Amino acid sequence: MGARVITITSGKGGVGKTTVTANLGVALAMRGQRVVVIDADIGLRNLDVMLGLENRIVYDLVDVVENRCRLRQAMVRDKRLQELYLLPAAQTRDKTAVRPEDMVRVCDELRDSFDFLLVDSPAGIEQGFRNAVAPADEVLIVTNPEVAAVRDADRVIGLIEAEGKGPARLIINRLKPDLVRRGDMLNTDAVIELLAIDLIGIIPEDEAVITAANTGRPVAFTDNSLAGRAFHDIARRLLGEEVPFGPLKEPGFLGRLLRWMRAEGEESP
Amino acid sequence: MKLLDRLLHRQEPPSGEIARERLRLVLAHDRANISPGLLEVLKDEIIAVISRHVPIDPEGVQVTYTEGPRVNRLVADIPLQTGRRPRGG
Ligand SMILES: Nc1ncnc2c1ncn2[C@@H]1O[C@H](COP(=O)(O)OP(=O)(O)OP(=O)(O)O)[C@@H](O)[C@H]1O
Ligand SMILES: [Mg+2]
């Protein structure tokens, strides 16, 4: 029992797995959950910079697996929140340094002390992917509304089912409502129908995600952005709330003004 | 929207629609592990086998893969050579 282990994966690279993992970690921790985000992308460590924790890393996952430190020593606490920890990947090793059974063992050791373990999977369907999926109780697939990303998502959904880890749930990231309205982007219904899978969230394309990556402060820390709110909606759904899939409209002039005023207020505490 | 497109003489369907149709096909083939190339091979062999026994129109032969609710099928549509109607019609 204990923690739910949720792996975030995609098949295709660059669709937003790390962004989703960091933001769900923040959103769940803001809701009082005890969370560890685990970077399973060995050799291409990303989750640390996404969370702005890159300067506080001493040990990493490979050090834990190879018994150079205790698990707790490798975990970096995010001081901005009560209970959010990062278990970083090694940057200078390759994915063969960790085996699926290592991931299972590490997660089992954490289960009793936490509510959520979020595992950020590397792209692809090789060992790094298998490492990430091995400990999973649940799987979230991230895709973009594009032909190649959806195709790879379908492949991964099949593999997850074959592993007995299904049914996976889908996050559509980087949706552009304007393009959808014009008919020039795959719409949500089309993607869901093609993949025959349940949807757990839709994240719009949002500049705030890029500035957040620049500063190391994920958008989910505030509800100033559409993407930030979309991540909180997913967190609420993970916690069992029924949250309707609202329209992803930009706020009007008044909304923008409010947002600006709130953002200004935040800068000077 | 549709009407507006027509008024503007927009011929092509919007690209989102094209994406959906391409995905429908590519996913069907991926899932069955039946590539369009394999369908071509099957088609050639079917033409060879059948035309040994019955005169057919090789140009018109179509072999397609379709996903159904219960079973997925390979459908071969093999037009016979015209001009030779069967009796008793
Ligand atoms: N909703 C969004 N709006 C705008 N930019 C986004 C959004 N989601 C992700 N991005 C940007 O896309 C890029 C890739 O995101 P990310 O690193 O999370 O993808 P990934 O799936 O983890 O990639 P990899 O496969 O390399 O691990 C980043 O620069 C990120 O800022
Ligand atoms: Mg990543």
Side-chain angles (χ1 to χ4, degrees):
Chain A
M1 257 330 293
R4 284 159 69 184
V5 183
I6 305 183
T7 294
I8 293 97
T9 189
S10 68
K12 190 172 185 304
V15 296
K17 294 176 291 299
T18 304
T19 304
V20 166
T21 309
N23 279 286
L24 288 185
V26 168
L28 286 166
M30 283 171 74
R31 284 161 195 282
Q33 302 295 309
R34 298 166 301 166
V35 184
V36 186
V37 291
I38 303 175
D39 193 343
D41 201 346
I42 312 291
L44 295 170
R45 178 201 277 172
N46 269 177
L47 197 50
D48 57 339
V49 283
M50 207 69 100
L51 283 164
L53 298 175
E54 66 274 17
N55 292 329
R56 304 206 12 238
I57 294 176
V58 182
Y59 296 109
D60 60 49
L61 182 57
V62 174
D63 292 322
V64 173
V65 166
E66 296 180 349
N67 291 318
R68 272 189 296 276
C69 70
R70 280 176 293 108
L71 178 50
R72 287 287 179 163
Q73 286 177 295
M75 289 164 55
V76 179
R77 193 170 90 83
D78 189 325
K79 291 176 183 152
R80 297 165 293 191
L81 291 162
Q82 270 301 316
E83 291 259 15
L84 176 64
Y85 293 83
L86 164 71
L87 183 53
Q91 174 68 348
T92 52
R93 297 292 296 272
D94 69 276
K95 31 192 131 227
T96 57
V98 174
R99 294 163 305 166
E101 54 268 36
D102 297 323
M103 291 298 292
V104 172
R105 193 160 39 79
V106 165
C107 288
D108 281 348
E109 201 177 324
L110 294 171
R111 272 179 200 270
D112 284 341
S113 324
F114 293 92
D115 301 305
F116 284 91
L117 310 180
L118 306 180
V119 183
D120 180 18
S121 163
I125 50 175
E126 288 85 41
Q127 180 164 351
F129 162 77
R130 288 203 306 277
N131 285 344
V133 170
D137 302 319
E138 298 164 50
V139 178
L140 303 182
I141 311 267
V142 183
T143 193
N144 298 153
E146 291 167 13
V147 176
V150 174
R151 182 195 199 174
D152 290 355
D154 190 66
R155 181 81 204 287
V156 167
I157 291 166
L159 292 173
I160 302 291
E161 259 156 36
E163 294 266 316
K165 300 282 186 183
R169 285 182 288 179
L170 188 73
I171 295 176
I172 300 178
N173 186 28
R174 308 196 80 156
L175 190 92
K176 297 190 179 185
D178 290 347
L179 281 195
V180 172
R181 230 169 285 132
R182 243 172 40 210
D184 278 329
M185 180 171 262
L186 282 164
N187 63 45
T188 307
D189 291 346
V191 176
I192 296 301
E193 193 195 313
L194 285 160
L195 293 178
I197 180 179
D198 281 344
L199 182 71
I200 190 167
I202 307 168
I203 322 286
E205 172 79 23
D206 191 337
E207 284 176 12
V209 173
I210 295 167
T211 53
N214 289 340
T215 57
R217 187 177 165 80
V219 288
F221 270 109
T222 70
D223 66 352
N224 291 337
S225 69
L226 284 176
R229 270 172 276 163
F231 285 118
H232 277 275
D233 284 351
I234 298 178
R236 288 164 63 195
R237 290 185 191 110
L238 283 173
L239 292 170
E241 265 183 70
E242 289 271 345
V243 185
F245 290 91
L248 297 165
K249 282 222 294 285
E250 274 294 335
F253 172 73
L254 203 65
R256 281 209 304 277
L257 188 71
L258 279 171
R259 198 158 105 186
W260 177 79
M261 284 177 358
R262 253 189 259 140
E264 287 295 295
E266 219 194 47
E267 307 292 69
S268 45
Chain B
M1 230 15 215
K2 289 255 169 61
L3 187 68
L4 191 71
D5 285 350
R6 214 161 293 152
L7 284 174
L8 294 169
H9 300 290
R10 189 161 165 173
Q11 302 284 316
E12 286 259 298
S15 70
E17 204 43 55
I18 297 173
R20 175 196 204 133
E21 193 49 34
R22 290 177 63 214
L23 263 170
R24 207 180 55 72
L25 281 175
V26 84
L27 292 189
H29 285 121
D30 284 358
R31 285 170 188 168
N33 204 5
I34 295 178
S35 67
L38 177 61
L39 290 185
E40 281 305 302
V41 171
L42 291 177
K43 184 168 113 180
D44 290 345
E45 292 190 13
I46 288 169
I47 291 172
V49 170
I50 308 239
S51 54
R52 277 212 293 276
H53 303 279
V54 197
I56 59 174
D57 167 17
E59 297 296 304
V61 172
Q62 284 189 349
V63 179
T64 49
Y65 171 76
T66 60
E67 276 190 327
R70 231 165 272 122
V71 276
N72 306 326
R73 327 171 172 271
L74 282 176
V75 180
D77 180 350
I78 306 160
L80 300 176
Q81 218 147 63
T82 47
R84 229 162 276 199
R85 299 175 136 228
R87 262 183 296 175

